[in-house]
Every structure is written in C-alpha cells, then in structure tokens.
Amino acid sequence: MKRSILELSRPRLLPLVLLMTSLPHPMCTGLSYCVSPRGLDDSYQGQECKNFSEYLQNASFYFQSNSIFYFVNGTHFVDLNGTLLIQNATNISLAGVGGFKQTMHPIMGAFSESLSKVVFISSSLLFENIENLTIINITFTENGSRVGQMDSPNVAILRLYDVKNVLIARSLFSNISGASINCIGSVAVVMDSYFLDSSTALEAHEASMIGCDHCTIVGSKCAVNFTDSTFSAEQSTIAYCTNGVVSYAALSYMYVTSLSLNECNFLACTDAVSLIDIGLATVVQCAFINCTVGVDAVHIYDQISLYQCNFLSTGYPLVATTISNLIVEQCTFTDAITGVNASDSSAQLWQCSFTSCANGLIAYAPNVYSIIEIMDCNFTTCSTGLTIDLINIAIIGRCAMSHVNYSIAAHGSLVVVVQSVFTAYISAGMFVSSEIVIESCTFTMGKSSTIYSVESYILLHDSVSFSNGYSSGYGGAMYLSGSSVLFEAPVNVSFINNTAQLSGGAIYVEYQHSQTYCFFRIYDPDGTLETPNIHLLFSGNSAREAGNDMYASLKCPIESSGIPLYHSEKQTSESIVRAVSSPALDLAADPTVVCIGEPSTYALSECSDNQTSPYTVQLYPGQYTTVSIATLDEYNGRAPSLLFLRNTNRIIFETLWSQAIGTNYTINSSLQNVTFELIPQAVFISALSGDTNATLISVQVLPCPLGFTFNSSNGSCECNAFLSEQQGVWCNVSNFQIDDVQIYKPSKSWLGTINGALAFHEVCSFDYCSGVTAVNLRKQDDQCATNHSGPLCRGCADGLSEMFGGSQCKKCDNLHLLLLLPFAAMGVVLVFALLTLNLTVSNGTLNGFIFYANIVKINESAFLQGSNSVLIKIISIFISWLNLDLGIVTCFYDRMSTAGRLGLQFVFPVYILVLVGLIVTAGRYSTRVSNLCRHNVVPVLATLVLLTYGKLLKTVIDILSIDYIAVAMDNNRTTVTNLYVWKYNANIIYLHSSHVPLFIMAFLTVLLFILPYAILLLLTPCIQTKSDWKILNWVNKLKPFIDSYEGPYIGRHRFWSGLLLLIRIPIYVSSALVEITNSSFNLSVAMFFIAAVVIYLARFNVYKNVKYCYLEMFLYINLIGLCLFPLLYRSRVGYDQDANSTQSLSELHFSYITFVGSVFIVFVAVIVLQEYHQIRKAKGKYTTVPKLTFPELTDPESDASSSHTVALSHENEKESDTGYREELLDD
C-alpha cells in the first residue's frame, strides 16, 4: 500500500520551529555582553564592550548558561588559532544589533546583509553539548589566509556537536572555503539566511535533524550534504551549485535517513538532488531549472514521491535506479533529454506532462520484476514518448501522445494500452517487439506506420481506430514483420484514410518464409466462440504501388500449436479477413508472375503462369532498348517485387526492382543472341533448387540499318562513309528503339532516301523543311513542314494539293476552280482602274514604285521570317498587287502540283494583256470606248507589260532553277553521285516528265519577251536615231508604246526604264540562289545595284521634273535600308542558329512595317493628289489647255528632230491628255 503523497509532503520543519520558539529565550533574561571591534572604546546600552576574541579566550567564564552577546556595527576579527570551544551550557545567544545594508551579488542580485560581521582568520567555532543555541543577524566570513593556517582547511566555520535546538536566522555565510555549518548529532533550523560562494553550506551527520526555511544557497560545490540524518527544506533556493542536496545512508541508518523538499527551487545545478540508500524521500512543488540532473535516486528502501514538481530544461529530471516504489504525480517535464529514467524499478506516473523531451520515459528492468503504471499523462513533441524494455507489465491508460516520433517503443515486455489517443506521431505510433494489448484507443494523423511490429503479438479489443496514417514506405497503419494480430471479441477495428507511398495503404505484412502461423487470428483460448463479435472496417486507404487496404498473402499455413484459430475449416487469415471486413478489400501480395509489355506503356502481353514462349527483343549492335516489366500477385493484381535475372546456366547476373505500376528495364546488344529468365523474389526463395515458371526474354542482334556500318572495335553501328563526310551529321544507334533509329543532321539540311539509296542535301528551304535535327529514315517526311514530302520536301503528301499563292500543301477540291470568276473580274477592275486613275508609267511616278515592289517581293522570305502580324499581311498584299499576285494563299483545284501552280503563273498576265488588246480594238471601232479611255490605252498597256515583266521573270527563273542531291549509289554506300533535279519539285529529275513543257515555255518567254523587252527599252534612244534605216522601220510603229516609258525622262536618259529592267535580272537570279547560300547573298546583290542607281540619280537628274527624281531616290534609299536590317539580324543571331531571338525578329518585322509602310503611304498620297487634280479639271477649273510642254532641264545633248517627231506622232493625244499632265506636274 503506497503512502499518501499529501501526507508525505506535509512540512517536517514546522515542529522544529515550534520547539525553538517555546523554549526560554536568553535574550529576555540572563547575562548580556557587548561585542565591539573597538573594544573598551565602545559601549552598548550602558555596557562596556570588548572584542569577540577576548570573550573567546575565556569562553568558560563568559559563555555560561543564559548568556547573550550583542554584536554592534563593525567587523569582528577572530584572530585566535585553532578550534574555539564553547560547551556545556544552555540558552546561548549571538545577536547582531548593527543593522543591515543592501548588497549586490552578481547572481542573486540585491539582498540585505547584517552590518555585524564576524571574520575568522585561523580558527573555527565549536559548540558542544549545548541546549538552545540562537544565532541571529550576523554575517560570517573568513580571511583569505585561513585555509593555510587551519589544520584541516575543510573545517566548518560553525560546528555543532550534540547541540539541541539550534536556531540560525537572518544570517549570511559568505566565501567560506570549507563548510559553513557542520552538524553532528544535532537538531538545527536555519531561517531566512544566505550562503554565498561557500564550498559547502550545510553538513549533517550521525542522526542529525536539519531544517531550512526561506534560505538561499548560491555558488557552492555542495549545497547540502547529509548522511544518516534527516533534512527538510521549505521555500528555499539552491542555485549554481555543483551538487544541490546530497544524501546517503549506512545500512544501519537507511530507514531513518529521509529527505523532504517543499516549494524549493533548484537553478543551474549539476546534480540538484542525489539520494543513495535512504529510506524515504518526498519532493513537493519544487522547480528544477537548467539543471543537468534533477533527482537522482538509487536504492530507496521505502518510497520516493514527487508531487507537482516542474522540471524545465533539465537534462535528466528524474533518474531512478533499483527503487521499489516510485510515485510521480502531476509533474511537468519540459526540454529534457530523458524525463524519467527508471532502471530496475517499479514506477507510477499520474497526470504528468512531457513536452519537447528527447525521451519521455525510459523503463528498463532486466534484473528485477517491475511494473510500470502510466495514467492520464500527456506526451507532446517528444522524440520518443515511452521506451519499455524488459518490463514485466507496463500499463498505459488514458494517455495522450501528440507530435511524437515514437509514441511507444517496447521490447520484451507485456504492454497494455487502454483508452489512449495517439495523434500526429512522426516515426511510428508504436515500435514493438513485445506482447501488446490495445483497447479503446485512437491513432490518427501519423507520419509513419502507426504500429511497426517485429515478432510480436498484438491483441485488439473493444474499439480501436487507425485513421489518416501516412508512411513514406509500407503500411500506413500497421507494418507486421513476423507478427500476429489477435482479435478479442467484442472488437471493432477501423482503418480509414491511411496512406503508404509504397505498398499496403493500411496494413503491410512482411512475409517470413519461416513463419508457421497466420498474421490474423481470433483470440479464443477456451475455444467456445461460435460467432465472435468482430468487425473490421477499411475505407479510403491508398497505396501508390499495391494493396490500398492490405499488402499480405492470405495463404498462410495452419496453426499447429499455441493460440487456436476460429473454426477448423477457416484456419487462414483469408477466412478471417473476408468474413469480418467491410466493404470488400483491395488486397495485394508478393508477386509470383512476371509480365512484359511495350516500353513505357506497362501493357501486359505475356502473363500466364505457365509461360513458355519467350518475349523477343531485336536490337542493332551498340543499341539498347527498354521493355516494360510488371509483376502479378496471387490476387492477379500488380505488386512490387525484387527480380532476379539469370541466364540459362542459372547464374544470376543482375537484380532488378519492379514497381507496382511497372518498371522500364533496359536491354543492350552486349547480351548478343541470348535468352534469360526473370524470377520474382518470392518464387526464387521458395524454390532455390527447383525449376520455376520463369519469364523468358530472347535478345536478337540484327545487322546495322541503312546509313550505318558496323565498327568491330566497339561493337556498335556508326555512320557510314557517306554520312561521315557530311558536315554536321552524326549517328548514335544506342538512343532509339529498333524501329526509330535516328540520324542527327544540321537543322537546315535534308537527309533521306531516293529509290532506296541514301541521299543528302546541305540546304532545305525553311518553308518546306521544319528544321528538325533527328531523322528516322523510315519516316523521313517527318522533317518536312506544311504537309510536304519527298526529296527536299518539295512535293506534297499523297492526296494533297499545292496552294496557289504559297508553298503549303492542303486538301483541296475542284470547287475552288470557281475562283476563276473573281480573278477574271479583278483583271477587268485592274485595267479600268489604270485607265480611269491614269496610273501609268508615262506620268513618271509608277516606274519607281513597281521596281520597289518587285525587289521587296522577291526577297520577302528574308523580311517576313516568322511573322503573323495582321499589319504586315496588309502591307504584303499591297506589294503583291504591284507584282500581279493575289496576296493570299488559297486552293485552286484538287491535287495541283508544282508544275500546275507555276504554269498558272502565265495565265493572269496574258489575260490582262488580252483585255488591253480588246480595249484597243474596241476603241478603234467605238468612239464611246475611245472617249472613255481618254486616249491613254497605250500607256496603260505599257504599264501592264511592265507589271507582267516582274511576275514572268520570277516564274521563268523558278522553272529554270536546277538543284542537285548527293546520293550514295552502291551497296557499301561509299560511291556518291549528284542527282540533278528540278529545284521546286525534287521528285522530278531536271528536264524530265512535266518539267519539259514548263522548261520550253520558260525558255521561249526569255527569248521572246524577257530579254527583247529589256533590251528594246535600254537601246531605243540609239535605235531611234537610225530609225530611217529600212531594217529599223518597225521601231517607228512602236514609238507610241516606247514613248510611254521615255516620256518622263530627259532625252539622254531615256534608257532608264530599260536599265531598271536589266538590273532586275541579276537580283532575281541571286534570290533563286538563296537556298544554296543564304539570304545575305541576294540582299547584298540587291543593295549593290540599288546603291549604284542611287549614286547615278544623285549625280544626274534623269527626270524632266526633278520632283520625280527625288521620289525615286526616296524609294531606293528606303529599299537599301530595308535590305540592311535582315543583314544585321543575321549577324546577330547567326545563319545556323535554330532558335532565333524573339527580340531580333520583332525588330526585323518592325523595320519592314516602317520602311514598306512609308512607301505605301506615299503611294496612296500620289494617287490622291492625282485624283484631286483630275477632279479639278473635270469641274472646269482649267479653262485653257496649255500646249504640250515639259519643264525639261537643260539637256544640250537632246535630239531636237527626234523630239519633234515624237510631238507629231502624238499631236492629237497630247492636246487632250498631255496638257492635263503638264498642269498636274506644274502643280
């Protein structure tokens, strides 16, 4: 029967104090003496004084019964040597009457110190056989030389031998090298006193009884040291001491040696309380702060009790060794290494709190029978709540554990956990290798397996809940290794919302091959249960790999001994689980079958238990490939497993971990032609010496694919000689699957096959090729853009058509032929617009705009790379219209080829010219038509011919363009020939098939139109001087047509239109070479010729009206600036750079908008101005028509007769039209 803590904690100091106050006090009656450091020079209450040494020299005379010594203000030096003995008296009192002063201490702070100070130099004061000794209001200290002058330096200042009823009050003991007070066989009470920086404050031996009340002990090596005695302390403080209270007892005194501490404080002590072999200890409402050890008790014979104590930042608050009865009630343990350490002890912990401790309680009893009882305790943010090791019985009831790494770690013990709550544990709710009983408990929000059990029995009873558990490995609620879970009816166990990152969302059972029992069993020792009241609930559990509810094999062996199972016909874990679980479980177990599928898909293709045909893998030399491997368990579900790979000689050459969702396994050609086995771990261990139904994989090594050759030095396929010679081409067969071997090339090149032969070309146009760098020769069209295909990606894929007005390929139908109607209407609109607006080359403004538009159009790919801007598209349409293009991309008819698209380029120009011819013919027979056209049909015709020139020139250059492709012809792929193809459809060999008629048309166009037209306009000024030659009479017939071009120019510069036509030819030809070099080449050529033209215009005024010269110079300088920006762009990002700078592209597009947009604005302004003058003329603002005169600049070389001839031939036309033109020019 334990003794009441309240009874044990009742103060024992009170009887001593009452005893002292009830005795006759010598200060009231008897002899009195004055003690003064000044001797006879001082007096107190009319008495003469002596110094203290004089009284001590004749102690037997002065220290008689009923004597009192008054110590006045001052320092009283005791200069005597040795031990000063005062004995055989009653009622002796020493009292200081000098008052007090405030003193500061570096640790304790301010306190009151008596002004009556006694200093011992080389002596100590011994009271022997005294009854009723009182010392009050005196400060005791020693001189520094005392240590060397005493026979024993550890002798106390005050020694009490067989002194009864000692009262020491309001005194100070400071800087004592030995003990301050030493008691032997005495009874003493110390009240309201201070012990500062002394070696030992109090010593008690040989059945002494010492009490401290409101005392402070600071800076001692040992505050209190008592042996074979009784010590009590109330409301006292012990601080910064190496040892606080130290006690031990000899065998004969062990039952009378006791300790009582009540409302005491221990601050920053190494060992606050150290007890050895005493009978009884009681510590009530004490505080231990920043101590290394709080209470260290060894072999307490009766009982040690702690009640309402507070341990803060103390490393080891309570260390108990070999204690039969340890009681800890309502104590708090904070920031401790180990809150309670009980070794070979029995302990009871009630209503205690453990916070931020590395270990809450450690109980270890290998040598004695021990019982640990823990009731109503809280454990928070501890590393380990309870460690139970080799304890006979540990009872844990109504406890709460929160944010603890390991709530309970038990080994070799019987642990009973009742009505407890475990929340937010970090490593495990319980780590057990013991027998454990869990009843009416809740486990929630754990961050590891709630119960991690190794070779244990876990009995569940009543209501047990496991919820929101989480494990980064296996088993969110339970991890069972060689353990069994027993259900004692009635029991309701729930597993809700538990998660495992690997397998077993709620429960994971590690299969032990030596295990001879089931992991789920019914606890029925009497074998009387017919229908046990057992219910299991699994809900919301999940595992990333396998077994959302449980990962376990339910095919366990039948129990042969020990705890019997429920019903002989249901002696398996499977029968229990399926009979009492709700709803149906998601189960998984160790897999026994290996399945193989396609790479990265985990598709199961070979999964039969008796698989015989191998899974075949084909590889090229030096290549590796990946297969998907999954393993199936006894429930035919996927589960993780360790796989053993062994060859046909049963030699293991590799191990592999297969995840539940499947695993990609890499196979390389170094295995050569071989077949090997994949065996799951469970199958391998259970049949180490026998045959197994292993899954087979057959590896076959094939010859190198097209474009590769075998390198015997490294056993790999490498680029053949043809590809090795190509700059920027390299091969790596190891990175790809068997049907997806790719060859790396520069992004702007083309690589493929032509009629089975390997072919390569350095440059592939960006609008035909997509710029990919890895090519699979089996899928060579993957490098083509916008649905192109074939060599150089110049053809369209099957069933697609080339788009009219662009290079894209799309699905088209013949309904788009209806576009002929709007196209025909547009031609009529164009002709009448020129007629009515007088937009002809004869007025001197249009020639420069057409030349500008031709140069911009031919280099459009350099200006508009990667552009999708709406504004740019609008400006591009303006440029296209000046080139007789639609400016849009559209279908025309089904399966239109490149030949068809380029053939149609001849149609629209011819159609326009036919329209003009019809108008001219109609004008001869109809006055209305003639008046409508205002006699400017010939200038309109000249303008349309000029517009047609640029379009036909580009068309014939496209048709005549030739390209070549390097082709490896022989079987070794080392002999290379150049295959010459039509550049714009490399599927067609040059001058073959449909290219022949196009070539003839283009050639005739060059001979009959392109060259004659340009040469005629260039040489006409010379030819006209010889027009009287018979052979040149035809020139006079063309004079109205030629004069439309020459009219705006000064006589000697009438070749200017022809010169601009000839300049177009090298610029157009250079643009056709852009794919062979780069856009910088054709832009440089264009800039060279345009700069020459600008220089000439700056030196000579070719126009009669100088304003036209300025306008043309503006256009050409604008064109030079426009060509310069792509060159700067190329210098910044580089020609071979695949990823162009977004910022640089934006700058390029902005330059296009700026330069071309300004030209567009000027063009519109010219039209508006011209129409304005025409409207003024129509309103009759010009009443007279000036005669035909041009504001010509002085030209001494002009031919007057030639000019006169021109005037005569156009006399009527000039009167009606030229005069108006001159009025416009003058304005």
Side-chain angles (χ1 to χ4, degrees):
M1 179 71 71
K2 70 181 181 67
R3 192 175 304 175
S4 170
I5 289 184
L6 293 177
E7 177 186 349
L8 294 172
S9 63
R10 197 174 300 277
R12 296 185 177 184
L13 189 58
L14 184 58
L16 295 177
V17 176
L18 293 176
L19 177 62
M20 300 297 180
T21 56
S22 63
L23 296 174
H25 202 287
M27 298 179 69
C28 300
T29 60
L31 302 173
S32 61
Y33 301 97
C34 173
V35 182
S36 172
R38 294 171 291 278
L40 296 175
D41 296 334
D42 203 353
S43 65
Y44 177 72
Q45 294 181 354
Q47 292 183 343
E48 294 182 353
C49 297
K50 297 181 179 180
N51 60 50
F52 194 35
S53 295
E54 293 183 33
Y55 291 116
L56 293 176
Q57 284 177 336
N58 195 3
S60 59
F61 175 78
Y62 290 106
F63 288 88
Q64 298 181 15
S65 297
N66 300 318
S67 298
I68 181 169
F69 295 84
Y70 294 100
F71 290 77
V72 299
N73 181 6
T75 301
H76 306 266
F77 289 95
V78 179
D79 54 1
L80 304 177
N81 296 324
T83 300
L84 306 177
L85 178 61
I86 300 173
Q87 62 181 350
N88 301 324
T90 60
N91 298 329
I92 300 296
S93 297
L94 306 177
V97 293
F100 294 89
K101 70 175 180 177
Q102 288 293 316
T103 303
M104 291 297 297
H105 187 270
I107 296 176
M108 191 173 60
F111 67 98
S112 297
E113 177 184 358
S114 174
L115 294 176
S116 301
K117 179 184 293 186
V118 177
V119 179
F120 291 88
I121 297 177
S122 59
S123 60
S124 64
L125 191 59
L126 171 61
F127 294 91
E128 183 177 2
N129 195 21
I130 302 293
E131 186 174 352
N132 299 331
L133 172 64
T134 301
I135 300 175
I136 188 171
N137 297 342
I138 298 178
T139 296
F140 294 93
T141 186
E142 65 179 21
N143 187 284
S145 61
R146 176 177 180 271
V147 174
Q149 296 176 7
M150 291 293 296
D151 295 335
S152 175
N154 294 324
V155 173
I157 290 288
L158 298 180
R159 290 187 285 171
L160 307 175
Y161 289 1
D162 196 20
V163 177
K164 301 299 185 290
N165 302 328
V166 179
L167 175 61
I168 302 175
R170 297 194 299 275
S171 296
L172 169 64
F173 297 83
S174 176
N175 296 299
I176 309 300
S177 59
S180 297
I181 301 174
N182 178 278
C183 298
I184 298 178
S186 301
V187 178
V189 173
V190 182
M191 300 178 63
D192 299 319
S193 297
Y194 297 94
F195 299 84
L196 304 180
D197 304 318
S198 299
S199 177
T200 302
L202 296 173
E203 288 184 346
H205 307 288
E206 299 180 12
S208 295
M209 294 180 64
I210 304 297
C212 276
D213 185 12
H214 289 86
C215 293
T216 301
I217 304 175
V218 179
S220 297
K221 293 182 180 179
C222 181
V224 178
N225 183 0
F226 69 100
T227 60
D228 303 332
S229 302
T230 298
F231 177 76
S232 299
E234 289 188 14
Q235 300 182 9
S236 297
T237 299
I238 298 177
Y240 296 94
C241 298
T242 304
N243 296 284
V245 177
V246 178
S247 174
Y248 61 91
L251 184 60
S252 57
Y253 287 95
M254 61 184 179
Y255 291 108
V256 298
T257 303
S258 64
L259 169 69
S260 176
L261 301 175
N262 191 6
E263 299 183 33
C264 294
N265 297 318
F266 294 84
L267 176 63
C269 297
T270 303
D271 289 317
V273 178
S274 180
L275 308 174
I276 302 176
D277 293 332
I278 70 172
L280 181 65
T282 303
V283 182
V284 178
Q285 297 180 350
C286 293
F288 298 80
I289 302 174
N290 290 325
C291 298
T292 303
V293 178
V295 177
D296 186 0
V298 180
H299 202 188
I300 306 300
Y301 290 93
D302 188 355
Q303 176 176 298
I304 177 171
S305 303
L306 285 80
Y307 179 71
Q308 293 184 351
C309 293
N310 184 11
F311 297 88
L312 177 62
S313 298
T314 296
Y316 300 90
L318 177 57
V319 180
T321 305
T322 318
I323 297 176
S324 59
N325 194 2
L326 170 64
I327 300 175
V328 183
E329 184 174 354
Q330 298 183 23
C331 294
T332 61
F333 302 84
T334 306
D335 292 329
I337 297 176
T338 300
V340 178
N341 191 333
S343 178
D344 286 336
S345 303
S346 293
Q348 300 174 23
L349 277 69
W350 300 334
Q351 300 177 7
C352 294
S353 175
F354 297 82
T355 304
S356 300
C357 299
N359 300 281
L361 176 142
I362 296 179
Y364 175 64
N367 303 313
V368 299
Y369 185 91
S370 63
I371 299 175
I372 302 295
E373 180 181 344
I374 304 167
M375 303 295 293
D376 300 307
C377 294
N378 296 322
F379 297 81
T380 306
T381 62
C382 297
S383 178
T384 301
L386 301 173
T387 300
I388 310 296
D389 193 3
L390 300 179
I391 301 298
N392 295 92
I393 300 176
I395 302 173
I396 304 165
R398 298 188 302 274
C399 292
M401 297 192 180
S402 175
H403 298 90
V404 178
N405 279 4
Y406 292 96
S407 298
I408 299 176
H411 169 68
S413 307
L414 173 58
V415 181
V416 180
V417 185
V418 180
Q419 297 179 7
S420 296
V421 177
F422 301 81
T423 305
Y425 38 88
I426 298 173
S427 295
M430 295 183 182
F431 187 91
V432 295
S433 56
S434 306
E435 297 178 6
I436 184 167
V437 177
I438 302 175
E439 177 180 335
S440 303
C441 293
T442 299
F443 301 85
T444 183
M445 298 178 64
K447 295 184 179 180
S448 186
S449 298
T450 300
I451 297 180
Y452 191 98
S453 174
V454 179
E455 298 181 358
S456 304
Y457 288 103
I458 303 171
L459 188 146
L460 304 180
H461 177 63
D462 201 2
S463 176
V464 181
S465 172
F466 301 88
S467 63
N468 296 300
Y470 171 85
S471 173
S472 58
Y474 303 94
M478 285 188 181
Y479 184 104
L480 305 178
S481 176
S483 302
S484 288
V485 178
L486 290 81
F487 301 97
E488 182 182 12
V491 61
N492 289 279
V493 184
S494 61
F495 299 89
I496 300 174
N497 296 334
N498 299 287
T499 302
Q501 278 298 302
L502 297 178
S503 299
I507 300 174
Y508 179 87
V509 179
E510 180 182 344
Y511 182 69
Q512 301 290 329
H513 297 282
S514 60
Q515 186 171 313
T516 59
Y517 50 83
C518 298
F519 66 90
F520 270 13
R521 298 192 285 175
I522 305 297
Y523 182 70
D524 182 20
D526 300 328
T528 59
L529 292 176
E530 292 295 330
T531 55
N533 185 8
I534 298 175
H535 299 282
L536 304 182
L537 172 63
F538 291 84
S539 175
N541 304 298
S542 63
R544 185 172 63 88
E545 287 192 344
N548 288 330
D549 292 319
M550 187 183 305
Y551 186 95
S553 175
L554 298 181
K555 297 178 181 179
C556 59
I558 295 177
E559 176 83 3
S560 58
S561 62
I563 302 177
L565 300 172
Y566 168 61
H567 286 319
S568 59
E569 70 273 12
K570 295 184 178 180
Q571 292 182 336
T572 63
S573 294
E574 182 175 10
S575 64
I576 298 174
V577 171
R578 299 202 182 277
V580 301
S581 299
S582 176
L585 301 185
D586 184 278
L587 301 174
D590 288 338
T592 56
V593 178
V594 180
C595 308
I596 304 176
E598 294 299 323
S600 302
T601 63
Y602 309 117
L604 307 182
S605 61
E606 301 291 343
C607 294
S608 61
D609 289 332
N610 298 314
Q611 179 178 326
T612 56
S613 59
Y615 183 88
T616 302
V617 175
Q618 294 180 330
L619 299 172
Y620 294 119
Q623 188 183 34
Y624 62 85
T625 188
T626 303
V627 296
S628 175
I629 298 175
T631 47
L632 299 185
D633 58 16
E634 62 190 65
Y635 312 110
N636 201 32
R638 298 189 184 189
S641 175
L642 180 66
L643 293 177
F644 295 91
L645 281 65
R646 69 183 185 183
N647 57 26
T648 53
N649 295 325
R650 294 188 175 180
I651 297 176
I652 297 175
F653 62 88
E654 189 176 355
T655 58
L656 170 69
W657 179 255
S658 172
Q659 301 179 28
I661 60 172
T663 298
N664 285 335
Y665 175 64
T666 300
I667 302 173
N668 57 58
S669 60
S670 63
L671 295 174
Q672 296 300 321
N673 295 306
V674 67
T675 299
F676 62 93
E677 301 175 334
L678 283 78
I679 309 171
Q681 181 182 23
V683 176
F684 182 80
I685 294 177
S686 62
L688 284 175
S689 59
D691 294 331
T692 62
N693 294 327
T695 299
L696 305 178
I697 293 183
S698 175
V699 181
Q700 298 178 2
V701 181
L702 305 177
C704 292
L706 180 65
F708 292 81
T709 185
F710 181 70
N711 187 337
S712 58
S713 62
N714 58 19
S716 177
C717 294
E718 298 179 348
C719 285
N720 62 16
F722 171 70
L723 293 180
S724 299
E725 294 175 355
Q726 311 304 326
Q727 184 176 2
V729 177
W730 60 282
C731 309
N732 185 359
V733 75
S734 63
N735 290 340
F736 307 100
Q737 301 295 329
I738 189 72
D739 58 347
D740 193 32
V741 174
Q742 297 182 353
I743 300 173
Y744 294 94
K745 66 173 186 63
S747 62
K748 300 183 183 302
S749 64
W750 178 86
L751 175 65
T753 59
I754 299 178
N755 296 327
L758 196 63
F760 179 78
H761 195 278
E762 293 180 352
V763 178
C764 185
S765 178
F766 75 91
D767 49 352
Y768 290 91
C769 290
S770 60
V772 299
T773 58
V775 178
N776 180 358
L777 294 180
R778 297 183 181 183
K779 304 174 184 177
Q780 65 184 40
D781 287 345
D782 289 349
Q783 62 187 311
C784 299
T786 59
N787 300 320
H788 284 87
S789 67
L792 300 184
C793 298
R794 288 294 186 171
C796 286
D798 292 341
L800 301 182
S801 303
E802 280 204 23
M803 304 294 289
F804 193 76
S807 60
Q808 298 92 332
C809 294
K810 290 185 179 181
K811 182 70 176 177
C812 296
D813 54 52
N814 292 323
L815 290 177
H816 287 85
L817 287 171
L818 295 175
L819 291 173
L820 288 172
L821 298 177
F823 291 169
M826 290 175 61
V828 175
V829 172
L830 174 63
V831 171
F832 279 95
L834 294 178
L835 286 171
T836 56
L837 296 177
N838 196 26
L839 292 175
T840 63
V841 292
S842 63
N843 62 21
T845 59
L846 198 58
N847 199 352
F849 284 110
I850 294 175
F851 181 82
Y852 183 93
N854 290 159
I855 303 304
V856 172
K857 183 66 176 180
I858 200 67
N859 295 289
E860 200 168 37
S861 60
F863 301 135
L864 303 184
Q865 182 177 350
S867 170
N868 292 315
S869 171
V870 175
L871 183 58
I872 287 180
K873 290 181 179 179
I874 294 175
I875 297 176
S876 298
I877 291 176
F878 158 70
I879 296 297
S880 298
W881 286 356
L882 289 180
N883 284 272
L884 285 188
D885 273 347
L886 298 177
I888 59 173
V889 179
T890 182
C891 287
F892 202 74
Y893 63 87
D894 186 24
R895 300 176 188 271
M896 184 172 72
S897 62
T898 308
R901 178 175 62 83
L902 290 179
L904 288 173
Q905 301 297 324
F906 291 96
V907 175
F908 192 70
V910 173
Y911 167 68
I912 295 297
L913 296 177
V914 169
L915 281 178
V916 177
L918 292 175
I919 293 174
V920 172
T921 303
R924 291 186 176 185
Y925 298 100
S926 174
T927 305
R928 177 177 297 180
V929 174
S930 178
N931 293 333
L932 180 65
C933 297
R934 297 175 52 200
H935 307 288
N936 59 352
V937 174
V938 174
V940 169
L941 177 62
T943 303
L944 291 174
V945 172
L946 182 61
L947 290 172
T948 303
Y949 180 83
K951 184 173 184 62
L952 292 180
L953 179 60
K954 182 180 186 310
T955 301
V956 297
I957 289 176
D958 289 347
I959 294 174
L960 297 178
S961 296
I962 189 173
D963 210 341
Y964 70 90
I965 303 176
V967 181
M969 300 301 295
D970 64 341
N971 294 332
N972 295 326
R973 309 178 185 95
T974 56
T975 302
V976 180
T977 185
N978 290 331
L979 179 65
Y980 291 93
V981 296
W982 183 23
K983 179 179 179 180
Y984 286 92
N985 192 340
N987 290 306
I988 301 175
I989 299 177
Y990 200 76
L991 285 177
H992 283 71
S993 184
S994 60
H995 184 247
V996 175
L998 285 176
F999 181 87
I1000 295 173
M1001 291 176 61
F1003 186 73
L1004 292 176
T1005 302
V1006 173
L1007 290 179
L1008 301 179
F1009 176 69
I1010 300 297
L1011 293 178
Y1013 176 59
I1015 294 173
L1016 175 65
L1017 294 183
L1018 179 67
L1019 300 179
T1020 294
C1022 297
I1023 295 175
Q1024 283 181 341
T1025 60
K1026 310 296 182 181
S1027 61
D1028 54 344
W1029 292 5
K1030 185 177 181 179
I1031 194 173
L1032 298 177
N1033 286 337
W1034 57 270
V1035 174
N1036 293 328
K1037 296 180 180 180
L1038 295 177
K1039 199 161 191 58
F1041 176 79
I1042 295 174
D1043 286 347
S1044 298
Y1045 296 104
E1046 295 180 346
Y1049 304 114
I1050 296 175
R1052 62 175 180 170
H1053 297 297
R1054 287 177 293 164
F1055 63 85
W1056 192 250
S1057 295
L1059 179 64
L1060 294 181
L1061 291 177
L1062 288 180
I1063 287 176
R1064 285 175 171 85
I1065 295 176
I1067 295 176
Y1068 273 56
V1069 172
S1070 67
S1071 68
L1073 302 176
V1074 65
E1075 294 170 13
I1076 300 177
T1077 57
N1078 56 65
S1079 60
S1080 301
F1081 173 76
N1082 59 297
L1083 292 175
S1084 300
V1085 171
M1087 289 178 61
F1088 171 77
F1089 284 103
I1090 297 169
V1093 169
V1094 171
I1095 294 173
Y1096 191 88
L1097 285 174
R1099 176 66 180 85
F1100 303 102
N1101 294 315
V1102 299
Y1103 286 94
K1104 297 176 181 178
N1105 191 331
V1106 71
K1107 296 178 182 179
Y1108 295 162
C1109 188
Y1110 295 152
L1111 174 63
E1112 198 155 316
M1113 287 186 66
F1114 160 74
L1115 295 176
Y1116 298 158
I1117 293 173
N1118 180 293
L1119 195 55
I1120 292 174
L1122 181 63
C1123 294
L1124 185 62
F1125 264 85
L1127 296 178
L1128 297 176
Y1129 168 75
R1130 285 297 179 195
S1131 66
R1132 179 181 301 178
V1133 302
Y1135 174 71
D1136 294 325
Q1137 185 168 329
D1138 294 332
N1140 295 321
S1141 168
T1142 302
Q1143 181 179 358
S1144 298
L1145 277 176
S1146 299
E1147 294 174 357
L1148 181 63
H1149 299 159
F1150 179 76
S1151 69
Y1152 179 86
I1153 294 173
T1154 302
F1155 285 101
V1156 182
S1158 63
V1159 171
F1160 174 73
I1161 294 173
V1162 171
F1163 180 78
V1164 173
V1166 169
I1167 294 176
V1168 171
L1169 184 62
Q1170 184 167 311
E1171 284 303 303
Y1172 170 73
H1173 286 287
Q1174 186 170 342
I1175 293 172
R1176 290 180 63 189
K1177 178 181 179 181
K1179 291 182 177 181
K1181 292 190 176 182
Y1182 296 102
T1183 57
T1184 59
V1185 178
K1187 65 179 181 178
L1188 175 62
T1189 57
F1190 282 92
E1192 291 190 11
L1193 300 174
T1194 302
D1195 184 12
E1197 299 180 9
S1198 61
D1199 187 359
S1201 62
S1202 177
S1203 300
H1204 178 67
T1205 304
V1206 172
L1208 291 176
S1209 63
H1210 293 287
E1211 182 177 353
N1212 296 330
E1213 183 176 318
K1214 289 177 181 178
E1215 289 179 359
S1216 61
D1217 184 64
T1218 309
Y1220 156 71
R1221 235 181 16 251
E1222 290 302 312
E1223 295 171 5
L1224 174 63
L1225 294 177
D1226 291 339
D1227 288 344

